[in-house]
Amino acid sequence: MRLIIAEKPSLARAIADALPGASKRGDGAIHVGDTIVTWCLGHLLEQAAPDTYDPAYKQWRLDHLPIVPARWKLVPRSNARGQLKVLRGLLKQADEVVHAGDPDREGQLLVQEVIEYLGWKGPVSRLLINDLNRPAVRHALTRLEDNATYHSLYQAAETRSRADWLYGINLSRAWTLTGRQAGHDGVFSVGRVQTPVLGLVVRRDQAIARFTPRPFHVLWADFKVAQGVVRGWWQPGDVHPLDDQGRLLDPRPARELAARLPGAEGTLSQLESRDKRQVAPLPYSLSALQVDAARRYKLSAKTVLDTCQSLYERHRLITYPRSDCRYLPDAHWQAARETLGRACAQDPTLAGWLAGADFSLRSKAWSDKRVGAHHALAPTGATADLSRLSTTEANVFRLIARNVLAQFYPALQTREIKAEFSVLDEHFRAQGQEVLVPGWKPLFTTRDEAPLLPPLQEGESAKVIDQAVEDRETRPPEPFTDASLIKAMMNIARYVDDPAVKRTLRDTDGLGTEATRAGILETLLDRRYLVRQGSALRATRIGQALIDALPDAATRPERTAIWEQRLRAIAEGDDQAAPFMTNLVADLHTLLAGADAQRMRQALGDADGFEPAPAGRGRGKASRRRSSSPAGGRGTEKSGSGKRTARSRRPRRTQDA
């Protein structure tokens, strides 16, 4: 008997539907001929609690730290015992096993760890499925590989799981106990990903709070030329007081010049034009989709992820969503006319875009060399009736389909124009854009992103017909939103100060993964380290205090970004797990030495973040108020039975994904 173990029930059903023969549903499995398809429910196993290794660890004490297991143990999750029993029984009957976890690091881990935990010693094949449509699943079933090929991927995922346990357990205990000494009645959760993300928000909030607006002044003039009117902006020279960005600090020169401008005659002294060609944006990775959906539809990262999972598992309209790749296989280009035709035909918006597509075009998006375990999000080719989807599902599907359709549109071609006017021995600049070929752009926006200028001729006369001085102020940085924070997590090198570390980080490195970024934001919200204010994400008082109390290195992105590099190297067979873990334990000793009650007490007293709304009243109506007590903030960690406090109950075990 062949046993196929899928990552989740929806994948198991898709596999069973693709197998020849009638299927029969059993207890935790589907029987199809001599094949049985069963499933996990996500992770059925988890890292054992510290007291599993030593009962003394039930009590949280600083002198126990760091806790480092000599031999790692996994235990069943509370809701997994029934399905594990089913799997154990099926493995006893099996002649061969097929691993059908999702095609990524965690998918490799969660099925393989169950196979090993239950003691299977026989052969294991690997089934990789990116698309739940029946033809795609049938094709994948003909291309089984040896699971041993993915052993390094499993090692990387296992190393990540153990490293996160070590980091989260030890630092959370240390700073919870330090917080207790400082008077804070609650749990502080520290993680190698969530804490640097919180640090980004805290530092942005602090920059906003410290910001002092500075006035500056601009002078514009409208010039009448032969075929229209052009607005130019005065370019004050170095003889005037300017800031480091060339902004005028003293309004008097601008006002004196403005008084002389009415009716003044000048010339268009310099005219430059440059033709530009811009190809369509690539198809989406999950994070890129989350950024665009947050900007366009104000959707949270978690909402986008959940919507994509629904479009993938329930509706089978899109390919595997938890992808970090923005390229598609060569074979998808050959089938695109048929695939997109079925996917887009029943929606008026998509059908209009489909009608304008030229399927003879081939963009750089189609590249087998750039596709790894995943490819970019794309329609599967199933007929999409968007009227039967929720509004959010329809909007997200249109975005995914649009970015693939855009590959069959010509490049956007524009002419960028810069003009300089000379009048009264002063210079005014104007710039604008002329669209030569709209290409793919109408699929993305109907607005012009730069002003259109009338036809201009260098040397022509220009007369001032209007002018004004505008008094402005510098603006503080914008608070983070879902879109900007996800983008920051994707491009974390921008937030790294160390030039040497910055150089080592590739554009694809980041905080978290496609599968975890949305969950990280929700975790910080659930633990009340962040609150939403409209679309903005702001740090709470307790969130700010935690960042201020931790060693700076634990709140910065460098460590976790380099972790991801090392884990990727392990996954690719270019590094080993043992040296990584040895370095981590040494690092923990250094970090734990920084746990200091006085620093925590000062951090709690100095914190001036945003208080979350009371539980049950939502997270969107936070008010900013200072607590008079260091323990006055909502820093406790919620569980199914309510709050856990450090004094009344044993603090809950905390780990970070």
Side-chain angles (χ1 to χ4, degrees):
M1 181 266 288
R2 179 174 65 165
L3 179 65
I4 301 178
I5 305 176
E7 179 165 330
K8 56 180 78 71
S10 59
L11 179 58
R13 288 192 297 270
I15 295 170
D17 289 346
L19 291 169
S23 63
K24 178 183 176 182
R25 184 72 179 257
D27 182 16
I30 305 172
H31 299 250
V32 187
D34 63 350
T35 297
I36 296 178
V37 186
T38 186
W39 53 83
C40 299
L41 304 166
H43 280 282
L44 298 181
L45 304 170
E46 62 184 354
Q47 294 293 337
D51 54 78
T52 304
Y53 298 100
D54 187 337
Y57 293 152
K58 284 186 178 181
Q59 184 180 9
W60 289 31
R61 293 175 48 175
L62 286 170
D63 59 2
H64 287 159
L65 306 180
I67 299 169
V68 182
R71 184 174 181 180
W72 290 88
K73 299 178 182 179
L74 294 172
V75 296
R77 289 180 179 265
S78 58
N79 63 344
R81 297 185 185 278
Q83 191 61 16
L84 277 172
K85 183 178 179 180
V86 169
L87 286 163
R88 181 179 281 108
L90 292 173
L91 282 169
K92 290 178 180 178
Q93 306 171 40
D95 300 311
E96 62 173 309
V97 170
V98 178
H99 178 317
D102 281 350
D104 58 16
R105 200 166 69 190
E106 288 306 302
Q108 187 66 33
L109 173 68
L110 71 84
V111 174
Q112 188 165 337
E113 68 184 2
V114 169
I115 293 171
E116 295 189 0
Y117 178 81
L118 295 177
W120 172 258
K121 302 298 183 183
V124 180
S125 300
R126 186 65 164 99
L127 173 61
L128 298 170
I129 295 175
N130 275 308
D131 182 341
L132 294 186
N133 271 348
R134 188 174 298 177
V137 177
R138 282 179 175 167
H139 181 64
L141 283 163
T142 67
R143 302 178 64 185
L144 297 180
E145 301 180 58
D146 185 347
N147 188 57
T149 305
Y150 296 91
H151 181 67
S152 59
L153 190 67
Y154 169 69
Q155 277 195 315
E158 182 182 62
T159 302
R160 192 278 313 154
S161 176
R162 293 174 176 179
D164 280 342
W165 188 97
L166 285 173
Y167 197 87
I169 289 291
N170 285 292
L171 297 192
S172 294
R173 287 193 174 204
W175 266 265
T176 295
L177 293 169
T178 302
R180 190 185 304 176
Q181 294 171 0
H184 174 67
D185 190 18
V187 172
F188 276 118
S189 173
V190 182
R192 61 102 183 178
V193 178
Q194 70 170 33
T195 303
V197 173
L198 176 60
L200 290 175
V201 180
V202 167
R203 281 185 281 275
R204 175 65 59 85
D205 284 352
Q206 290 172 341
I208 293 170
R210 290 193 300 263
F211 181 80
T212 301
R214 292 182 298 169
F216 68 98
H217 314 274
V218 297
L219 166 62
W220 55 261
D222 285 344
F223 293 90
K224 180 70 175 70
V225 294
Q227 298 191 53
V229 177
V230 179
R231 176 162 294 184
W233 301 86
W234 182 42
Q235 305 298 303
D238 293 339
V239 295
H240 302 294
L242 307 176
D243 67 8
D244 57 0
Q245 296 188 36
R247 294 175 294 210
L248 183 67
L249 301 177
D250 185 349
R252 289 173 295 181
R255 290 172 182 161
E256 290 170 0
L257 177 57
R260 299 190 290 129
L261 280 175
E265 298 280 354
T267 60
L268 200 170
S269 56
Q270 188 173 342
L271 183 64
E272 296 179 4
S273 66
R274 182 165 65 104
D275 289 352
K276 294 180 65 176
R277 185 178 182 276
Q278 184 180 355
V279 298
L282 290 168
Y284 284 119
S285 65
L286 175 60
S287 290
L289 175 63
Q290 287 169 323
V291 170
D292 275 7
R295 288 173 175 167
R296 182 175 289 261
Y297 299 116
K298 308 300 182 187
L299 300 179
S300 72
K302 184 177 186 301
T303 298
V304 177
L305 174 58
D306 291 346
T307 301
C308 285
Q309 286 296 126
S310 176
L311 290 170
Y312 171 63
E313 295 180 5
R314 179 183 173 192
H315 302 292
R316 303 190 183 183
L317 291 176
I318 66 169
T319 56
Y320 180 73
R322 296 173 184 247
S323 173
D324 60 356
C325 179
R326 299 196 67 175
Y327 293 87
L328 292 167
D330 293 332
H332 278 223
W333 177 79
Q334 300 164 3
R337 183 190 298 272
E338 181 181 352
T339 300
L340 292 171
R342 291 197 304 267
C344 301
Q346 294 192 21
D347 178 68
T349 299
L350 292 176
W353 293 343
L354 179 68
D358 179 356
F359 288 98
S360 68
L361 298 177
R362 179 166 181 149
S363 76
K364 65 179 181 179
W366 320 96
S367 174
D368 284 343
K369 293 180 180 179
R370 293 179 177 268
V371 173
H374 313 291
H375 58 67
L377 280 67
T380 59
T383 301
D385 183 356
L386 271 63
S387 67
R388 305 182 72 174
L389 304 180
S390 71
T391 299
T392 297
E393 287 172 336
N395 286 337
V396 170
F397 180 78
R398 285 191 188 99
L399 288 178
I400 293 168
R402 179 200 66 182
N403 271 41
V404 178
L405 279 167
Q407 308 310 310
F408 298 100
Y409 276 72
L412 166 67
Q413 296 181 47
T414 58
R415 179 164 293 147
E416 306 293 330
I417 301 169
K418 294 182 180 180
E420 184 169 297
F421 295 90
S422 297
V423 60
L424 302 178
D425 296 325
E426 298 289 345
H427 301 285
F428 289 75
R429 287 182 186 166
Q431 60 184 30
Q433 181 187 84
E434 179 183 357
V435 177
L436 304 176
V437 177
W440 53 267
K441 192 66 173 179
L443 278 64
F444 288 72
T445 182
T446 57
R447 335 181 252 108
D448 294 317
E449 296 188 351
L452 296 176
L453 299 180
L456 298 172
Q457 184 69 41
E458 188 171 321
E460 68 176 300
S461 61
K463 182 178 180 179
V464 178
I465 59 172
D466 196 8
Q467 69 286 316
V469 177
E470 295 181 4
D471 299 325
R472 300 182 181 180
E473 282 189 337
T474 55
R475 300 178 62 181
E478 293 289 332
F480 276 114
T481 63
D482 277 69
S484 60
L485 192 52
I486 288 286
K487 193 168 184 178
M489 293 165 74
M490 293 167 62
N491 302 289
I492 200 61
R494 298 177 185 176
Y495 298 86
V496 171
D497 295 327
D498 187 322
V501 174
K502 199 180 189 78
R503 284 193 298 271
T504 69
L505 298 177
R506 300 190 295 263
D507 289 341
T508 53
D509 290 325
L511 288 176
T513 66
E514 305 294 322
T516 62
R517 285 173 185 144
I520 290 163
L521 300 193
E522 293 302 312
T523 294
L524 291 170
L525 289 162
D526 289 342
R527 289 174 176 163
R528 302 196 172 205
Y529 296 156
L530 296 182
V531 291
R532 293 192 191 278
Q533 290 196 317
S535 61
L537 294 168
R538 310 302 294 265
T540 64
R541 177 180 168 274
I542 294 301
Q544 179 185 324
L546 175 58
I547 294 301
D548 289 345
L550 283 163
D552 192 57
T555 72
R556 298 279 180 179
E558 285 87 341
R559 171 182 284 100
T560 192
I562 292 174
W563 268 35
E564 286 299 329
Q565 278 194 327
R566 293 285 301 274
L567 291 171
R568 184 179 292 112
I570 294 170
E572 294 172 354
D574 297 329
D575 201 350
Q576 298 297 317
F580 175 88
M581 297 296 284
T582 299
N583 291 342
L584 170 59
V585 172
D587 201 16
L588 282 175
H589 282 280
T590 301
L591 290 170
L592 291 169
D596 179 64
Q598 178 56 37
R599 180 172 175 174
M600 174 67 78
R601 190 174 295 111
Q602 182 176 345
L604 288 164
D606 291 346
D608 190 21
F610 292 78
E611 289 293 346
R617 292 178 57 187
R619 294 191 292 250
K621 297 182 179 179
S623 60
R624 189 173 194 177
R625 62 183 184 273
R626 192 68 182 267
S627 170
S628 59
S629 165
R634 291 182 178 271
T636 53
E637 190 178 37
K638 295 189 295 182
S639 70
S641 58
K643 294 189 297 182
R644 293 177 182 261
T645 64
R647 291 176 180 169
S648 62
R649 302 176 67 178
R650 179 172 60 90
R652 184 181 177 184
R653 178 169 56 92
T654 30
Q655 287 178 254
D656 186 26

